[in-house]
Amino acid sequence: MSALSQEKAIVAFKKLGSWFKNPSDVLEQGIDNAKQYNAWFTQANVRKSIDALATMLNEADVDQWAAGIGFAKTPKKVGLILAGNIPLVGFHDVLCVLVTGNIAAIKLSSADDKLMEMVLYQLVYLEPAFSTHIQYVDTLKDFDAVIATGSNNSSRYFDYYFGKVPHIIRKNRNSVAILTGKEDSNSLQNLSSDIFDYFGLGCRNVSKIYVPEGYNFEHFFKGIEICAAVKDHFKYNNNYDYHKSIFLVNGDKHLDNGFLLLKSDKNITSPLAVLYYEEYKDLPTLAKKLGNDKDLMQCIVSETQLSIETSPFGQSQQPKLWDYADYVNTIDFLNNLN
């Protein structure tokens, strides 16, 4: 078997994108079976993730992204601690390690091990040279660098154990949206995807909205009604009922449309089935505030042109290859190892 080259890697990733776009029987079965291992991984959500990866790996974007990427002459062993909050959420980190010619020592999340193994098995099938660059490990050891994704609590553990080697350590993040009150029903339906895709479990999900003073939430609730079926999922509904009970017992002022609870709060990260909101006086002041707090957020969703980087409504869960988590360029990090 010949050695891996970047050209081979790029061709294989394009083929994988086609596989995502036109699922084989094996992939279809994996999509159907995912919910048996993780109740959050419904067929609709797994398919949504597969479709997003198919779009991400389109040939034009792969070529554009890979044009300036270096390839390791001596591969480094990069430990990857993957998250499992949404289907295949760790795939981009694996992709970055492999396209730079390094070795991915992967500690899979128990919440998303079956899908990830299936996808990487297909990648090795498409390009056998990947077999020497993909390792599955229970414990990280003998690594040259680490990319670890987890909670705020686990990040302290990661800092302690991996702080002496080159590392990217990711904590909890969420996304926010800015509304002006002029959004039409189509815009709000798009925004509902940012809120409810993957039940709101992803770091790119909108967990808080900023609204102008005196905003009419009736229009907002009407616009997101398209996602009312989210309450049919028992785990989501359990969260909704729990937080509703807490609000009622504590006498917390909140709004309720039957499947989502809205609460005024200065924090960004809201509990599942709860959306925080905060009023603002003017957009320039808000943009400055969010720009200063950028390190706390994954995405800022807005239809209005602002002085800060934003994503359109409905696009927060459709990242491009160059949309790196936490605004840390994973490719630059990996290329600097050599």
Side-chain angles (χ1 to χ4, degrees):
M1 180 177 61
S2 59
L4 181 68
S5 67
Q6 192 167 65
E7 182 179 3
K8 287 181 179 180
I10 291 169
V11 170
F13 284 125
K14 289 178 181 178
K15 289 180 179 178
L16 189 68
S18 297
W19 186 67
F20 286 142
K21 189 174 182 179
N22 303 286
S24 65
D25 291 342
V26 171
L27 181 53
E28 288 287 0
Q29 186 174 359
I31 293 171
D32 291 341
N33 292 342
K35 62 181 178 293
Q36 297 178 19
Y37 307 102
N38 186 334
W40 292 111
F41 286 15
T42 63
Q43 184 181 107
N45 277 342
V46 177
R47 198 171 296 280
K48 196 184 303 289
S49 175
I50 295 292
D51 289 344
L53 290 175
T55 301
M56 175 188 284
L57 293 175
N58 72 83
E59 292 198 6
D61 281 6
V62 171
D63 285 336
Q64 179 180 341
W65 177 64
I69 295 177
F71 195 77
K73 293 181 180 178
T74 304
K76 301 294 185 181
K77 185 176 180 180
V78 182
L80 297 178
I81 299 179
L82 303 186
N85 49 318
I86 66 175
L88 298 171
V89 67
F91 176 77
H92 190 266
D93 282 339
V94 179
L95 169 72
C96 288
V97 172
L98 296 179
V99 81
T100 52
N102 292 297
I103 297 168
I106 304 168
K107 181 173 173 53
L108 294 165
S109 166
S110 60
D112 187 25
D113 52 351
K114 304 296 188 299
L115 279 173
M116 187 64 72
E117 284 186 327
M118 178 185 64
V119 167
L120 296 181
Y121 180 88
Q122 177 66 16
L123 186 62
V124 172
Y125 172 78
L126 294 170
E127 177 46 70
F130 277 128
S131 62
T132 58
H133 286 255
I134 296 173
Q135 302 174 2
Y136 298 106
V137 299
D138 294 322
T139 304
L140 292 185
K141 58 183 179 179
D142 303 325
F143 47 82
D144 299 300
V146 170
I147 301 174
T149 304
S151 66
N152 290 342
N153 287 333
S154 62
S155 69
R156 290 191 286 270
Y157 166 89
F158 295 155
D159 277 324
Y160 177 80
Y161 281 97
F162 307 134
K164 294 182 180 180
V165 299
H167 60 268
I168 296 175
I169 295 175
R170 304 197 185 103
K171 306 176 183 179
N172 283 345
R173 287 209 187 198
N174 285 95
S175 301
V176 303
I178 301 170
L179 284 74
T180 64
K182 299 178 182 178
E183 291 80 15
D184 59 22
S185 59
N186 185 62
S187 295
L188 293 175
Q189 286 181 12
N190 288 336
L191 176 60
S192 69
S193 295
D194 299 318
I195 298 169
F196 294 107
D197 279 0
Y198 311 112
F199 298 105
L201 290 166
C203 62
R204 291 181 173 274
N205 283 110
V206 167
S207 59
K208 180 174 184 176
I209 57 174
Y210 290 88
V211 298
E213 291 180 335
Y215 181 76
N216 182 1
F217 283 99
E218 183 178 349
H219 180 56
F220 170 79
F221 277 139
K222 186 176 180 180
I224 67 169
E225 188 67 29
I226 190 172
C227 289
V230 71
K231 196 171 183 288
D232 295 337
H233 190 276
F234 74 99
K235 291 178 77 72
Y236 181 92
N237 189 50
N238 287 345
N239 280 270
Y240 168 81
D241 286 342
Y242 172 78
H243 292 297
K244 181 175 181 176
S245 298
I246 294 296
F247 290 168
L248 291 173
V249 169
N250 292 341
D252 292 334
K253 185 178 178 181
H254 66 281
L255 301 172
D256 179 6
N257 72 341
F259 62 92
L260 180 68
L261 303 163
L262 259 68
K263 182 176 180 290
S264 176
D265 202 294
K266 296 291 185 183
N267 291 313
I268 291 173
T269 301
S270 59
L272 197 67
V274 178
L275 183 69
Y276 286 158
Y277 72 89
E278 185 176 339
E279 294 186 339
Y280 66 87
K281 290 185 178 181
D282 63 87
L283 284 171
T285 302
L286 176 62
K288 183 177 180 180
K289 166 185 163 56
L290 295 182
N292 291 336
D293 293 339
K294 183 179 178 181
D295 288 344
L296 303 175
M297 298 168 234
Q298 195 66 259
C299 301
I300 300 172
V301 179
S302 173
E303 285 196 328
T304 305
Q305 189 81 18
L306 298 171
S307 59
I308 53 177
E309 181 182 347
T310 61
S311 300
F313 285 0
Q315 296 297 307
S316 69
Q317 296 290 357
Q318 299 284 333
K320 296 283 192 179
L321 283 163
W322 45 83
D323 290 332
Y324 300 101
D326 295 6
Y327 302 98
V328 176
N329 190 313
T330 315
I331 292 297
D332 286 350
F333 167 78
L334 293 166
N335 282 339
N336 288 333
L337 296 177
N338 294 281

